[in-house]
Amino acid sequence: YGGMGLDFSYNIAVAEELGNIRCGGIPMAIGVQAGMATPALTRFGSHELKKQFLVPTIAGDFVACLGISEPGAGSDVANIKTTAVRKGDEYVINGGKMWITSGSQADWMCLLANTSEGPPHQNKSLICLPMNLPGIHVAKKIDKLGMRASDTAQIFFEDVRVPFKNLIGEEGKGFTYQMLQFQEERLWGVASALTPMETIIQETIEYTRQRKVFGQPVLHNQTVHFRLAELATEVELLRSLLHRAVALYVEGNDVTKFASMAKLKAGRLTREVTDSCLQFWGGMGFTSEVLVSRFYRDLRLMSIGGGSDETMLSIICKYMDILPR
């Protein structure tokens, strides 16, 4: 989008549109490629690195993945243990990554690793890591509740050697680069959930209008149609908060608080919408052939991935200055 001179609101329009795909895994894989593994390289990478990694990724010839999370550090990014030690004109990488979306098919990883012993916010760097190097072991594709169309891998690094020139931007700035990106990722995540929620509400209206219980359509029960009206209102409120945050972000403001609020609300609302609607489908809702049961599984990731509800709450509390000192 940068190359086309478009601002971030266009990314959000795309994310909302991708919500028309009838599963969560494919939009998520596109989101990782377009909005998570590549922005730091786009903003801070050398011309040579962009030519080697960014150009084929944008063209769709390379699959990219983002190497942040570890078994002991999911939302707690500062706590990662993977190291990249400088030896001559190379880094030697040891450690491992967990929950890596597209990890078992990726051509390269945007890797966050500790490149020095310093304080946790100043000792990390981002590195373009080709995934075909000796010492990289893709241990297993993780079997998940939802997002089953997307491969999520655990990966180990054993004395992996990568050229020093594969460093993105400056050494020690990796954490900062990553934090810049998190706001965009979270706003993208919220946008990607809006259309599926609308779709589920609409399909539930159509189904409950046809489904008869005790001689009348299920939809004609006040409990049912009032609940659907309530959920539709909640989705609109979330959309307004998202668009407000995006507008402020495009103007150059820090939207960490609003982005965190939107992400928190999206995680909770996707669970509420899919849970409520699934109930109105009765036994059909318990089958794999209806969309509501698929999104019931896929969208649960919204509360866990890309910053958990608990992480969002902590950030909001920090901005409200209400954490214990």
Side-chain angles (χ1 to χ4, degrees):
Y1 296 95
M4 293 162 77
L6 304 177
D7 66 44
F8 182 67
S9 67
Y10 289 83
N11 293 45
I12 292 298
V14 169
E16 285 193 40
E17 201 55 45
L18 288 173
N20 287 305
I21 297 171
R22 293 174 72 84
C23 78
I26 294 167
M28 181 172 71
I30 295 169
V32 168
Q33 181 101 342
M36 300 182 195
T38 47
L41 175 58
T42 307
R43 281 192 190 132
F44 306 109
S46 66
H47 179 71
E48 188 185 350
L49 275 187
K50 287 182 191 174
K51 209 167 132 187
Q52 188 182 346
F53 293 99
L54 187 60
V55 173
T57 304
I58 291 171
D61 297 326
F62 275 10
V63 172
C65 67
L66 181 63
I68 308 284
S69 298
E70 296 182 5
S75 298
D76 179 14
V77 177
N79 199 31
I80 64 160
K81 302 286 186 263
T82 298
T83 57
V85 179
R86 180 89 189 259
K87 295 207 172 144
D89 57 359
E90 289 182 318
Y91 281 118
V92 180
I93 299 163
N94 282 285
K97 294 291 171 181
M98 183 72 165
W99 314 116
I100 305 305
T101 300
S102 306
S104 52
Q105 56 174 310
D107 296 286
W108 69 281
M109 173 187 281
C110 176
L111 170 77
L112 185 69
N114 297 319
T115 44
S116 74
E117 293 284 321
H121 299 105
Q122 290 155 34
N123 71 340
K124 293 169 176 49
S125 306
L126 287 175
I127 298 164
C128 288
L129 180 69
M131 291 293 285
N132 58 359
L133 295 174
I136 298 180
H137 308 287
V138 179
K140 63 170 178 180
K141 188 176 157 183
I142 298 161
D143 192 16
K144 308 186 300 299
L145 171 71
M147 298 289 193
R148 298 175 71 87
S150 166
D151 65 297
T152 309
Q154 181 170 21
I155 298 166
F156 294 106
F157 309 117
E158 204 178 341
D159 291 333
V160 179
R161 293 180 170 268
V162 62
F164 176 71
K165 65 177 173 54
N166 283 26
L167 173 72
I168 296 173
E170 291 177 51
E171 201 173 57
K173 288 278 178 74
F175 185 84
T176 309
Y177 295 163
Q178 199 44 54
M179 288 298 130
L180 277 174
Q181 207 167 296
F182 272 155
Q183 304 328 315
E184 294 195 358
E185 286 180 25
R186 285 163 187 167
L187 292 168
W188 167 285
V190 174
S192 70
L194 289 173
T195 312
M197 285 193 284
E198 286 190 323
T199 304
I200 287 162
I201 292 168
Q202 200 49 49
E203 291 201 1
T204 303
I205 291 168
E206 287 157 21
Y207 182 74
T208 52
R209 184 174 277 135
Q210 289 156 14
R211 181 184 170 214
K212 287 198 164 66
V213 173
F214 303 121
Q216 68 157 349
V218 171
L219 183 63
H220 290 180
N221 288 287
Q222 193 183 67
T223 312
V224 178
H225 54 246
F226 273 15
R227 181 62 176 145
L228 291 167
E230 203 171 47
L231 293 171
T233 303
E234 292 281 322
V235 173
E236 284 308 325
L237 282 166
L238 179 60
R239 186 191 303 281
S240 294
L241 176 57
L242 170 70
H243 288 175
R244 181 183 181 201
V246 171
L248 286 166
Y249 181 72
V250 167
E251 287 167 10
N253 299 291
D254 173 15
V255 296
T256 309
K257 184 172 85 170
F258 286 149
S260 302
M261 286 176 166
K263 173 74 168 58
L264 172 71
K265 186 65 184 171
R268 301 234 163 129
L269 190 57
T270 50
R271 282 153 59 200
E272 203 180 333
V273 167
T274 53
D275 187 47
S276 288
C277 288
L278 188 137
Q279 199 62 30
F280 299 147
W281 284 71
M284 274 304 286
F286 202 65
T287 67
S288 292
E289 61 195 67
V290 294
L291 190 66
V292 66
S293 75
R294 175 157 202 162
F295 277 130
Y296 179 86
R297 298 185 318 252
D298 284 356
L299 291 179
R300 290 197 73 83
L301 186 62
M302 187 64 65
S303 274
I304 303 165
S308 64
D309 286 1
E310 295 79 3
T311 310
M312 297 305 100
L313 283 163
S314 300
I315 293 169
I316 297 162
C317 290
K318 189 176 125 193
Y319 273 78
M320 291 172 69
D321 196 23
I322 55 175
L323 289 173
R325 290 163 190 258

